[in-house]
Amino acid sequence: MSSSRVLESDADVKDLLEADGMPRKELNQEVFLSGLGQYLRNFLREAFKTVIRNELTVFLGRGPYERSEEDKGNYRNGSYRRSLDTEFGELKEIEVARDRDGEFEPEVLDRYRRRQKKIDRAVIALFVGGISTRRVKKVMKMLIGKGYSAGTVSNINKQLTEEMKKWLESPLADDVRYIFLDGLNLPVRRFTVSKESLLMAIGVTVAGHRKVLGVQLGSRESAASWREFLKGLKARGLCGKELRLGVMDGLAGLETAFEEAYPRAKTQRCVVHKLRNVAAKLPRSIQKKCLDGLKRVFHAASEAKARVNWLRWKAKWEKIAPGAVGCVEKDLEALLSFYQFPKSQWAGLRTTNRIERAFKEFRRRTRAMDSFPNEECCLRCVYALSKELDERWEERRLCGFSTMKPTAETAKPRCVVANEEERKVPA
């Protein structure tokens, strides 16, 4: 049956199914859609064949069997066949006309492309979404009737490499008011599999929008690694003109490197991490009572009230748990920096939850992989997730951060309520 025939009745559909090697049966939704899919693939195959022949006619300047006075000796030279994976399934044996001199290239069918770009994007989205290469093969088999090997999936993902490199070197607008810094250990294979530190910076702009500023993979978290990372951010344009606060954990060398790079900005130590550090220095029998008192320091109505609560807490626990008190006292000023900013922003500034949530999502997406085969693969996955986060955050302004004066006119986006996860501290 010709693929160009119009299907006017159930009998036509059944005849079409029988002609395509499928048993004649009662018509239902699944039978109809299956037959329609094959009908569309046959139609597309014929459409490609016709359009390519017409393109060759235009290229040569004459139709089949015609000759012209300006004939330069180039003629039609039969055809060859190739396949193309599309959103409608695999189009097999597409007839591609060719010329004798090999100069003709059809515009509707790229010479070296074997898959529709939409298919590649779907494979990348599945892989970045946390689906293993084995599962990707099964999913694509169900969707288009053809699965891809782990090697093919890996090659498809390599298309992100150039985008990733451009993103890592792209200029940054110097409109960041707050910056969140943290590191995540990931298993990366070089000669052997070892844990390497992914350094990440997320900024909140003066307009109240979040964005991933940059990432860097290094062997370990140290002052030298953070110094190099922050130097890279400055080289890309983040000079710190609007920067007022850096929020971070007590990672080795980070606070020193940040103060060297941005001396005008204050530092804020994450109170959640500090509460966990204090908990580790307390007997389980007094943890809850002691931590409840310490939380009043970080959830006071003002900085003055917080300092009063601190003195009371210190006086009560200094003799009972001197290690816990000393742990807080040595970083007290950095733990209270957030009080110097608008009250509506305190919940979002006293912890690194904004960057921890990104790390949590990244761990979930990469759980299917035991380790990254190389640094490039790791950074590709980080880039894809960062791009997804930026797109999600682009039209969302954080509640409480709208009091900052924007650098440019922006449309009023949807507001997101800041989450106060720092109130939950495990015993």
Side-chain angles (χ1 to χ4, degrees):
M1 178 180 289
S2 172
S3 61
S4 60
R5 172 179 171 179
V6 178
L7 304 179
E8 297 179 342
S9 65
D10 289 0
D12 289 338
V13 176
K14 292 173 183 176
D15 289 341
L16 176 65
L17 297 177
E18 191 174 35
D20 288 327
M22 299 180 66
R24 190 180 180 94
K25 57 183 79 174
E26 290 299 321
L27 183 63
N28 57 45
Q29 176 177 295
E30 293 303 317
V31 172
F32 174 74
L33 289 176
S34 179
L36 183 60
Q38 185 60 49
Y39 175 82
L40 287 172
R41 287 189 287 276
N42 290 339
F43 174 81
L44 289 172
R45 189 183 300 111
E46 290 297 318
F48 269 112
K49 173 182 175 181
T50 301
V51 172
I52 292 172
R53 283 183 174 180
N54 291 339
E55 284 189 28
L56 182 57
T57 295
V58 174
F59 177 79
L60 295 175
R62 59 185 182 278
Y65 311 110
E66 293 181 359
R67 296 290 183 269
S68 66
E69 296 179 359
E70 300 179 357
D71 191 352
K72 297 182 180 179
N74 194 7
Y75 304 101
R76 285 174 171 78
N77 188 30
S79 62
Y80 65 94
R81 296 178 184 275
R82 53 170 288 191
S83 299
L84 179 68
D85 297 341
T86 74
E87 59 188 297
F88 305 103
E90 183 183 11
L91 305 184
K92 300 179 180 179
E93 301 293 318
I94 299 174
E95 185 177 317
V96 182
R98 60 187 174 190
D99 64 321
R100 188 174 69 176
D101 293 345
E103 298 174 349
F104 171 66
E105 293 186 15
E107 294 183 5
V108 296
L109 196 63
D110 295 342
R111 172 169 287 189
Y112 300 109
R113 178 164 287 280
R114 294 295 180 264
R115 294 177 301 275
Q116 187 180 0
K117 290 183 179 180
K118 183 179 289 188
I119 301 297
D120 286 354
R121 290 196 296 270
V123 171
I124 291 171
L126 287 171
F127 186 72
V128 172
I131 306 298
S132 66
T133 53
R134 186 176 301 174
R135 289 290 299 163
V136 169
K137 180 177 182 178
K138 292 181 179 180
V139 171
M140 296 310 296
K141 180 73 173 177
M142 290 187 291
L143 291 177
I144 66 170
K146 180 179 180 180
Y148 296 122
S149 66
T152 301
V153 172
S154 178
N155 289 333
I156 292 174
N157 286 328
K158 287 180 181 178
Q159 296 176 25
L160 290 173
T161 300
E162 288 304 314
E163 291 182 33
M164 174 199 72
K165 290 179 179 178
K166 290 180 181 178
W167 177 72
L168 289 173
E169 299 171 358
S170 61
L172 293 172
D174 197 14
D175 63 347
V176 175
R177 181 60 56 87
Y178 307 121
I179 187 171
F180 296 79
L181 301 164
D182 206 348
L184 174 67
N185 289 325
L186 298 171
V188 180
R189 180 183 297 277
R190 295 188 189 270
F191 299 105
T192 59
V193 177
S194 60
K195 292 283 187 177
E196 299 194 15
S197 295
L198 176 74
L199 311 183
M200 177 177 277
I202 292 179
V204 176
T205 68
V206 293
H209 297 288
R210 290 165 290 178
K211 61 181 178 181
V212 179
L213 301 175
V215 296
Q216 177 179 296
L217 195 63
S219 58
R220 59 192 178 90
E221 293 181 59
S222 64
S225 297
W226 281 110
R227 193 174 290 113
E228 180 185 356
F229 178 56
L230 295 172
K231 183 179 179 181
L233 296 182
K234 292 190 75 172
R236 291 167 56 198
L238 188 62
C239 299
K241 180 180 178 181
E242 299 286 348
L243 188 59
R244 298 293 180 268
L245 185 69
V247 186
M248 63 201 73
D249 182 20
L251 298 172
L254 173 53
E255 191 169 336
T256 300
F258 179 77
E259 290 173 350
E260 291 175 0
Y262 301 104
R264 295 174 55 190
K266 297 181 180 298
T267 57
Q268 169 64 43
R269 293 287 291 271
C270 175
V271 301
V272 167
H273 285 87
K274 181 57 68 176
L275 288 169
R276 290 171 182 165
N277 293 340
V278 171
K281 298 180 181 297
L282 293 169
R284 184 173 292 273
S285 59
I286 64 171
Q287 273 187 4
K288 186 178 185 307
K289 189 175 181 180
C290 184
L291 292 178
D292 285 346
L294 182 55
K295 289 177 185 178
R296 296 190 185 98
V297 177
F298 307 127
H299 294 270
S302 66
E303 182 177 359
K305 182 63 175 175
R307 292 187 181 277
V308 170
N309 291 344
W310 153 250
L311 292 174
R312 289 175 179 170
W313 183 83
K314 178 183 177 181
K316 181 175 181 179
W317 296 101
E318 192 168 19
K319 292 182 179 180
I320 302 173
V325 173
C327 180
V328 177
E329 189 168 27
K330 67 185 179 66
D331 297 317
L332 182 64
E333 296 306 317
L335 288 166
L336 302 181
S337 296
F338 71 93
Y339 280 115
Q340 300 174 40
F341 297 88
K343 190 172 184 178
S344 61
Q345 301 170 13
W346 289 356
L349 296 181
R350 58 188 166 216
T351 76
T352 56
N353 281 346
R354 303 213 177 281
I355 201 166
E356 291 289 349
R357 282 193 286 271
F359 284 163
K360 181 179 179 181
E361 182 69 9
F362 186 70
R363 290 190 192 96
R364 185 184 70 80
R365 300 288 186 92
T366 58
R367 194 173 295 139
M369 294 181 281
D370 293 329
S371 64
F372 294 97
N374 51 55
E375 178 180 341
E376 187 177 277
C377 178
C378 178
L379 289 176
R380 278 201 306 267
C381 291
V382 173
Y383 158 71
L385 178 57
S386 299
K387 182 180 178 182
E388 182 180 315
L389 290 174
D390 283 342
E391 290 173 353
R392 189 189 308 169
W393 294 339
E394 188 175 6
E395 298 300 325
R396 306 171 72 185
R397 180 183 295 169
L398 292 168
C399 278
F401 288 78
S402 57
T403 57
M404 299 184 290
K405 183 180 179 181
T407 55
E409 290 296 325
T410 56
K412 186 178 180 180
R414 185 160 57 91
C415 201
V416 185
V417 177
N419 188 5
E420 294 193 41
E421 293 182 3
E422 72 275 9
R423 294 184 181 273
K424 301 177 182 179
V425 181

